[in-house]
Amino acid sequence: MDELLDILDESGRSTGEVLEKSEAHRLGLWHRCFHCWICGSDNAGPYLLLQRRAAAKDTWPGYLDITAAGHLSAGEEPLDGLREIEEELSLQVNPERLVPLGTIKLEQQLPTGCDREFHEVFLLHDDTPPEKLRLQEEEVESIYRLDLNDVDILYATGGSPAREYKQGKSSQTQIHLKEFVPKNEDYLAQIATAARQLLSGTTPSPPF
C-alpha cells in the first residue's frame, strides 16, 4: 500500500496537504525523509555501514545508500524514523542515541517524475557486528562495512574495498562511487568526518 506523506513547501513548512508517495513523486512535491548512518569500531578499525537497496525497490534499485532510511509518513516527526532501523536491520535503538546532523534539501529526477525531499540526517554509534544484523529482504539486499580510512580512497579513485554481508555470508569486494544513490557531492565525506568525531568521543558539529 502506498505511503501517505505530508506535503511541504520549498521552505519545509507543511502545506496541510497529504498525498500518496507515488503521487508526490509524480507531481514533484516536497516531503520529508529520515536518514540514519551507523558507524562503529572493531579490531580492524572505525567504519561506516552502507546498504545496497533491494532490486525490487521502485526508486534506485540495487544502488548503494544510507545505512537505514525511509520516508516520514503523514503526521510523523523525524525521530519516528527510528522504525526504519528496526524494520530494515532488526536493530532497536533508543532515540537519545541518535546524533542529529541537520537537514538536507535535495531534488532528484525520477523516471516517473521528480523526487523533492528534506532529509533529516542522523548518526548512530553502534558496534553490533554487521553479520548479526537481520536484513529486511524486500528493502535491503546487503550491508557493507566501509573502513573510514577508505572514504578518501573512494573519492580519489572512484572505488575502494569493502566487506559485504548478505544472507549470513560475508565476502571482500570492491564498491564504486558511481553505485551510490545521487546525493550532494561531498555528502559521504561529511558523514565520514562526523563519524570520526563521534567515535573519538567528540559530539559532531552538524554539517548540514
Side-chain angles (χ1 to χ4, degrees), residues 33-175:
C33 291
F34 169 85
H35 285 191
C36 183
W37 292 90
I38 296 179
C39 61
S41 185
D42 56 21
N43 291 337
Y47 61 85
L48 271 178
L49 292 182
L50 317 170
Q51 70 158 262
R52 187 177 294 280
R53 296 164 65 85
K57 294 286 288 183
D58 57 349
T59 57
W60 307 109
Y63 277 69
L64 295 174
D65 207 356
I66 301 101
T67 322
H71 288 80
L72 290 170
S73 298
E76 288 190 324
E77 297 299 326
L79 287 179
D80 290 319
L82 276 170
R83 61 179 166 74
E84 298 290 346
I85 305 174
E86 184 170 2
E87 289 174 4
E88 295 185 358
L89 307 176
S90 298
L91 190 63
Q92 293 185 331
V93 177
N94 293 325
E96 59 270 18
R97 294 179 59 198
L98 291 185
V99 178
L101 297 183
T103 304
I104 296 175
K105 184 179 179 181
L106 187 66
E107 300 182 61
Q108 296 173 325
Q109 291 299 318
L110 299 173
T112 56
C114 183
D115 197 5
R116 292 188 169 99
E117 298 178 339
F118 287 90
H119 298 159
E120 307 290 348
V121 186
F122 296 89
L123 184 62
L124 171 67
H125 176 194
D126 191 277
D127 291 329
T128 301
E131 64 269 20
K132 299 291 185 183
L133 300 174
R134 297 195 309 277
L135 308 183
Q136 184 183 21
E137 293 183 5
E138 303 83 6
E139 299 285 336
V140 184
E141 180 179 312
S142 57
I143 286 289
Y144 292 78
R145 181 198 179 282
L146 174 63
D147 194 310
L148 276 179
N149 294 327
D150 287 337
V151 173
D152 291 340
I153 295 174
L154 185 63
Y155 274 95
T157 68
S160 75
R163 179 159 288 275
E164 181 182 22
Y165 297 84
K166 181 179 180 179
Q167 298 177 344
K169 300 179 181 179
S170 71
S171 60
Q172 194 68 19
T173 186
Q174 193 83 0
I175 62 173

Side-chain angles (χ1 to χ4, degrees), residues 38-40 46-48 101 123 148 190-200 202 204:
I38 296 179
C39 61
Y47 61 85
L48 271 178
L101 297 183
L123 184 62
L148 276 179
Q190 290 176 304
I191 295 297
T193 296
R196 291 187 187 99
Q197 292 171 341
L198 185 60
L199 293 172
S200 69
T202 302

